[in-house]
């Protein structure tokens, strides 16, 4: 067959698999794959460096379908090129329970799905992290081992979402020239024409952010090819604005929002079969076309073999380190480093804020774990995220270890997820706990994907003082604890902070948030214990003098108050124990026996946390006493606001005694 004709048929195979799968599932989005099939075909047959037989090859190019609703485009490509996880049965079971071909691409369901997309804009924002991680790994391991592109297909929706602004300005600033974004410029979204809601000149917008931009006809394979050749040579990230027609080939629905998100129906599909002269039954791909696709999927094997040869010839130490990092294993000896540091803390008993404890722990960690990449959304001095090892990453300077993300919490969180997903890197980044709201969509996706991204959230209560209620988190701990598969740590002192960091680093399939104080806290773990007690999520920090009449549960900065309250109660003859609760989710993972023992049978149970009550009933029951916040905070000194809201040892002791005598 003539090469051009074959290319067209290969693109058509994507279209029909997508149409047929959506039709069979009775739901899904046929329009995007139909409009972008040429782009995908050029990319996957001529440019993308991959070997379908080895989808985890670390130096593969990444392809990110940011417009996740067009998932059938990706599934078709993975099937056609011969990725092992997606066979024709998976295509036939698109969107069915238990299939790998979920409604939107889900990371972990099938190799070749590099990230979870669906919430528009996330994939584009992840891609900044992928592209940055590639540069960082390249700087550390050299051209022989690391040199690949990150390709993105984004829709109008991705570009309208706010996170895209954070992502593109960060990528432009860092001159991530191996990032190449296709914009599926079809002028249509769900409500109708994009012009209903947006008139942005997107190329000018990207250009203003320092991008290389091109405008092409997205159905023209020569223009696509030419654009990709130029993009690969760019010294800046590239936007290829590709004019397309949504649902291309559907006789009446093409170019309209009717092709966006529902099955086309038998008549339209029959019309499309005529339009493309496609005479095959649903899900049937002509043998020569499937063969051509499979050949494309295997074509990268030689590049992979060349890479393997370079890898085998590399310095053995470098190789061991590369493998360790790509596999996400911590360095041997890490536990010993933490143990030594905990001994030192037990001797020193520092009275510092936990944000400072976190910095001190990071100084030790960053010295021992070269894959950590720190950062902050313009609050470096407040989040205490920078250590002596972490000089600034900047355009062309990718060998360093600190990212000034700018005031881009959402973009930072999404980029960190991209770095984690890329592999070889453990990113952590900071902002105020209150502004976790600005990062939350990506924090949730980190949990859904089950990846090790670490969020450092300081100024974790009204204790931050005079900045007032806009900055004082109240519901944030509860809101973050509500996310499944997310470890929310609230350490009480330097030892707990170190233990929580150790757990966050060891937690390969669950992201972590460390909630840290601005105010100084005394050391409460004054004896060295080898075991990581925070691992239990909750543990008895102070035993009662006799059979406990009272148990006080608290976290973080309120442990100091809990211990003082227990002192008052003990003084009045009420045996009181204090349980530190650094992490709800880890506590739930303990045995029933452990949980029952830790919760105990004291007559009065109290929880103290300078946040809302939500979640604490698990510890104190519906009739427990809660000392904490019942509404928003107030601007004032820490000495004023804690008493103002009744969060003191005296208030707690008084409430307990009223109950004991009542
Ligand atoms: C954050 C977010 N908001 C809303 C949606 C729902 N949604 C899915 S696709 C879509 C329209 C996207 O338009 P576009 O990117 O132009 O895709 P096209 O219709 O061209 O395929 C919307 C609003 C979503 N997936 N994510
Ligand atoms: Mg669109």
């Amino acid at each position: 067959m003539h090469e051009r004709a074959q290319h067209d048929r290969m693109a058509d195979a994507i279209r029909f698999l997508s149409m047929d799968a959506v039709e069979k599932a009775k739901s899904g989005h046929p329009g995007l794959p139909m409009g972008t099939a040429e782009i995908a075909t050029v990319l996957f047959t001529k440019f993308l460096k991959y070997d379908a037989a080895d989808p985890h090859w670390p130096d593969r190019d990444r392809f990110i379908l940011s417009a996740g609703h067009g998932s059938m485009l990706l599934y078709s490509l993975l099937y056609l090129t011969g990725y092992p996880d997606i066979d024709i049965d998976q295509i036939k079971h698109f969107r069915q329970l238990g299939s790998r071909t979920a409604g939107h691409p889900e990371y972990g369901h099938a190799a070749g799905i590099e990230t979870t997309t669906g919430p528009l804009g996330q994939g584009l924002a992840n891609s900044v992290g992928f592209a940055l991680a590639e540069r960082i790994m390249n700087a550390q391991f050299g051209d022989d081992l690391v040199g690949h592109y990150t390709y993105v297909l984004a829709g109008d929706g991705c570009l309208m979402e706010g996170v895209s602004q954070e992502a593109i300005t960060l990528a432009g600033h860092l001159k991530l020239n191996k990032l190449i974004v296709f914009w599926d410029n079809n002028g249509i979204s769900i409500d109708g024409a994009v012009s209903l809601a947006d008139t942005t000149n997107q190329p000018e917008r990207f250009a203003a952010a320092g991008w290389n931009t091109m405008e092409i006809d997205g159905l023209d394979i020569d223009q696509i090819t030419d654009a990709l050749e130029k993009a690969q040579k760019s010294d800046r990230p590239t936007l290829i604005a590709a004019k397309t027609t949504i649902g291309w080939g559907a006789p009446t629905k093409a170019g309209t929002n009717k092709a966006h998100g529902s099955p086309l129906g038998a008549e339209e599909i029959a019309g499309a079969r005529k339009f493309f002269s496609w005479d095959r039954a649903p899900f049937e791909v002509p043998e020569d076309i499937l063969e051509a696709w499979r050949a494309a999927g295997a074509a990268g094997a030689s590049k992979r073999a060349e890479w393997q040869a370079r890898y085998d010839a590399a310095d053995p130490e470098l190789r061991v380190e590369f493998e360790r990092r790509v596999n996400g294993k911590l360095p041997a000896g890490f536990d010993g480093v933490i143990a030594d540091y905990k001994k030192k803390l037990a001797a020193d008993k520092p009275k510092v804020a936990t944000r400072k404890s976190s910095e001190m722990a990071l100084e030790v960690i960053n010295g021992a774990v070269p894959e950590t990449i720190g950062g902050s959304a313009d609050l470096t001095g407040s989040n205490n995220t920078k250590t002596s090892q972490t000089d600034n990453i900047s355009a062309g300077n990718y060998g360093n270890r600190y990212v000034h993300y700018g005031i881009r919490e959402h973009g930072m969180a999404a980029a960190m997820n991209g770095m984690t997903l890329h592999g070889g890197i453990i990113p952590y980044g900071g902002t105020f706990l209150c502004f976790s709201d600005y990062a939350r969509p990506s924090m949730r996706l980190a949990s859904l994907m089950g990846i090790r991204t670490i969020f450092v959230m300081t100024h974790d209560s009204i204790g931050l003082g005079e900045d007032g209620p806009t900055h004082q988190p109240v519901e944030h701990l509860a809101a973050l604890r509500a996310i499944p598969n997310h470890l929310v740590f609230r350490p009480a002192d330097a030892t707990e902070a170190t233990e929580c960091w150790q757990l966050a680093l060891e937690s390969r399939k669950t992201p972590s948030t460390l909630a840290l104080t601005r105010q100084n806290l005394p050391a409460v773990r004054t004896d060295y214990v080898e075991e990581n007690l925070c691992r239990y999520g909750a543990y008895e920090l102070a035993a009662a003098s006799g059979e406990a009449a009272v148990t006080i549960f608290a976290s973080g900065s309120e442990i100091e108050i809990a211990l003082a309250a227990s002192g008052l109660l003990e003084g009045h003859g009420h045996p009181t124990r204090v349980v530190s609760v650094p992490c709800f989710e880890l506590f739930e993972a303990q045995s029933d026996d452990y949980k029952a023992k830790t919760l105990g049978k004291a007559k009065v149970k109290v929880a103290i946390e300078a946040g809302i009550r939500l979640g604490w009933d698990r510890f104190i029951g519906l009739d427990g006493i809660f000392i904490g916040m019942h509404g928003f905070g107030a601007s004032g000194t820490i000495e004023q606001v804690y008493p103002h809201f009744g969060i003191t040892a005296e208030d707690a002791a008084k409430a307990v005694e009223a109950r004991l005598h009542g």
Side-chain angles (χ1 to χ4, degrees):
M1 201 189 294
H2 188 267
E3 194 195 331
R4 178 62 59 99
Q6 188 185 52
H7 195 280
D8 290 348
R9 306 290 284 163
M10 290 171 80
D12 293 344
I14 295 174
R15 293 194 166 93
F16 283 99
L17 285 173
S18 301
M19 269 183 261
D20 293 339
V22 171
E23 201 66 18
K24 179 154 192 272
K26 298 194 179 72
S27 76
H29 302 77
L32 180 142
M34 293 172 74
T36 58
E38 271 73 26
I39 293 170
T41 304
V42 173
L43 185 61
F44 273 71
T45 58
K46 294 205 182 100
F47 288 89
L48 196 75
K49 181 175 77 171
Y50 69 110
D51 177 0
D54 185 6
H56 299 292
W57 173 24
D59 199 32
R60 68 191 182 280
D61 287 343
R62 306 304 200 266
F63 172 67
I64 291 160
L65 179 65
S66 187
H69 58 280
S71 55
M72 266 314 303
L73 177 79
L74 181 58
Y75 300 150
S76 301
L77 288 163
L78 297 181
Y79 161 61
L80 289 166
T81 52
Y83 277 78
D85 288 345
I86 304 285
D87 58 17
I88 194 70
D89 270 350
Q90 290 293 337
I91 302 287
K92 288 180 182 165
H93 288 88
F94 177 47
R95 290 186 158 234
Q96 304 310 303
L97 189 64
S99 77
R100 292 178 177 144
T101 45
H104 294 80
E106 300 277 353
Y107 175 73
H109 281 209
I113 300 173
E114 303 283 6
T115 180
T116 292
T117 53
L120 298 170
Q122 289 293 331
L124 176 61
N126 292 156
S127 75
V128 177
F130 275 97
L132 179 57
E134 189 273 344
R135 287 292 81 198
I136 291 170
M137 290 291 278
N138 170 272
Q140 294 178 358
F141 291 97
D143 292 340
D144 277 353
L145 299 194
V146 185
H148 52 264
Y149 290 93
T150 303
Y151 296 97
V152 181
L153 182 61
D156 300 300
C158 295
L159 299 199
M160 266 192 261
E161 288 294 348
V163 72
S164 72
Q165 182 64 11
E166 300 181 23
I168 69 170
T169 52
L170 183 58
H173 173 72
L174 291 171
K175 287 202 169 57
L176 299 174
N177 68 317
K178 301 190 92 175
L179 176 60
I180 299 174
V181 175
F182 278 100
W183 165 35
D184 177 23
N185 176 17
N186 62 19
I188 293 289
S189 65
I190 292 181
D191 278 3
V194 168
S195 60
L196 287 170
D198 193 52
T199 37
T200 303
N201 183 322
Q202 294 290 1
E204 282 183 14
R205 174 185 174 222
F206 277 75
W211 286 54
N212 169 38
T213 68
M214 291 177 240
E215 294 184 61
I216 63 163
D217 175 350
L219 289 173
D220 182 323
I221 63 174
D222 292 330
Q223 291 191 35
I224 300 165
T225 304
D226 185 52
L228 281 168
E229 273 166 3
K230 288 193 181 121
Q232 287 192 336
K233 295 187 198 105
S234 171
D235 60 352
R236 289 164 291 156
T238 295
L239 172 75
I240 303 173
K243 193 93 204 119
T244 64
T245 299
I246 191 169
W248 175 241
T252 72
K253 294 187 175 173
T256 77
N257 56 340
K258 293 198 177 97
H260 165 86
S262 44
L264 293 173
E267 233 172 276
E268 286 285 308
I269 294 183
R273 281 195 152 69
K274 248 190 221 145
F275 182 79
F276 293 111
S277 310
W278 188 268
D279 56 6
R280 297 303 167 126
F283 301 106
E284 197 185 299
V285 178
E287 215 163 287
D288 60 321
I289 297 305
L290 187 58
E291 238 168 63
W293 266 118
R294 290 288 150 95
S302 59
K303 285 214 171 107
R304 204 201 59 78
E306 285 164 24
W307 179 86
Q308 188 68 47
R310 291 196 302 275
Y311 182 79
D312 293 343
D315 171 52
E317 259 178 53
L318 191 76
R319 241 164 42 200
V320 168
E321 179 67 359
F322 184 80
E323 194 157 316
R324 179 187 73 73
R325 298 234 338 226
V326 165
N327 290 332
K329 291 202 176 113
L330 292 172
F334 176 66
D335 287 349
V337 170
I338 294 292
D340 288 348
Y341 180 56
K342 276 171 63 179
K343 280 180 201 154
K344 180 172 153 33
L345 287 175
D348 293 355
K349 305 182 192 4
K351 181 178 170 143
V352 290
T354 48
R355 62 173 170 157
K356 180 69 185 169
S357 314
S358 167
E359 179 191 334
M360 288 155 54
L362 276 171
E363 183 67 33
V364 173
I365 290 162
N366 288 343
V369 185
E371 60 267 39
T372 51
I373 299 290
S376 165
D378 201 45
L379 289 168
T380 294
S382 299
N383 301 146
N384 296 47
T385 34
K386 203 161 169 111
T387 65
S388 68
Q389 303 87 353
T390 59
D391 288 335
N392 291 343
I393 287 172
S394 60
N397 248 324
Y398 304 112
N400 293 333
R401 291 175 59 187
Y402 197 83
V403 185
H404 285 281
Y405 286 101
I407 306 113
R408 299 184 181 98
E409 295 84 3
H410 196 179
M412 171 178 75
M416 287 203 292
N417 285 346
M419 291 161 88
T420 309
L421 290 161
H422 177 278
I425 283 170
I426 304 175
Y428 68 84
T431 184
F432 289 155
L433 179 60
C434 205
F435 304 139
S436 61
D437 286 340
Y438 277 47
R440 187 178 171 91
S442 303
M443 297 173 79
R444 176 176 190 266
L445 284 173
S447 293
L448 175 60
M449 290 190 273
I451 59 171
R452 179 175 46 187
T453 306
I454 304 175
F455 305 94
V456 179
M457 299 287 172
T458 69
H459 298 58
D460 72 346
S461 77
I462 54 163
L464 64 83
E466 296 91 333
D467 271 346
T470 58
H471 284 49
Q472 290 163 333
V474 173
E475 77 282 21
H476 297 75
L477 289 166
L480 291 171
R481 286 169 182 151
I483 301 177
N485 195 38
H486 199 104
L487 299 179
V488 180
F489 292 109
R490 193 162 187 257
D493 74 352
T495 296
E496 279 202 2
T498 303
E499 291 183 347
C500 292
W501 262 110
Q502 183 179 24
L503 290 163
L505 289 163
E506 286 171 353
S507 163
R508 299 204 15 209
K509 299 212 157 97
T510 305
S512 300
T513 293
L514 288 107
L516 305 166
T517 67
R518 174 175 183 260
Q519 73 268 33
N520 287 342
L521 301 175
V524 295
R525 287 274 299 280
T526 47
D527 298 320
Y528 172 70
V529 182
E530 188 186 345
E531 192 179 19
N532 185 326
L533 297 179
C534 289
R535 168 168 90 77
Y536 296 99
Y539 65 94
E540 186 174 278
L541 177 67
S545 57
E547 193 187 336
V550 182
T551 298
I552 307 178
F553 301 89
S555 80
S557 41
E558 284 70 68
I559 286 289
E560 179 183 13
I561 294 170
L563 290 169
S566 104
L568 293 173
L569 290 163
E570 288 275 357
H572 293 176
H574 311 300
T576 300
R577 58 196 276 272
V578 174
V579 173
S580 179
V581 189
C583 181
F584 279 31
E585 186 142 343
L586 288 179
F587 178 66
E588 288 308 335
Q590 303 310 313
S591 70
D592 288 345
D593 276 0
Y594 180 84
K595 283 189 272 196
K597 189 186 83 189
T598 305
L599 293 173
K601 293 200 174 108
K603 178 167 178 225
V604 179
K605 290 182 179 170
V606 188
I608 313 181
E609 185 172 80
I612 61 166
R613 178 168 180 147
L614 190 68
W616 281 103
D617 289 0
R618 169 75 178 97
F619 294 87
I620 60 176
L622 293 176
D623 56 351
I625 296 168
F626 181 71
I627 304 288
M629 297 298 290
H630 302 277
F632 292 112
S635 181
T637 64
I638 185 170
E639 291 78 15
Q640 291 170 325
V641 291
Y642 269 84
H644 176 75
F645 290 108
I647 308 175
T648 65
E650 291 73 23
D651 286 303
K654 217 162 87 191
V656 169
E657 293 199 289
R659 187 69 63 87
L660 284 168
H661 302 140

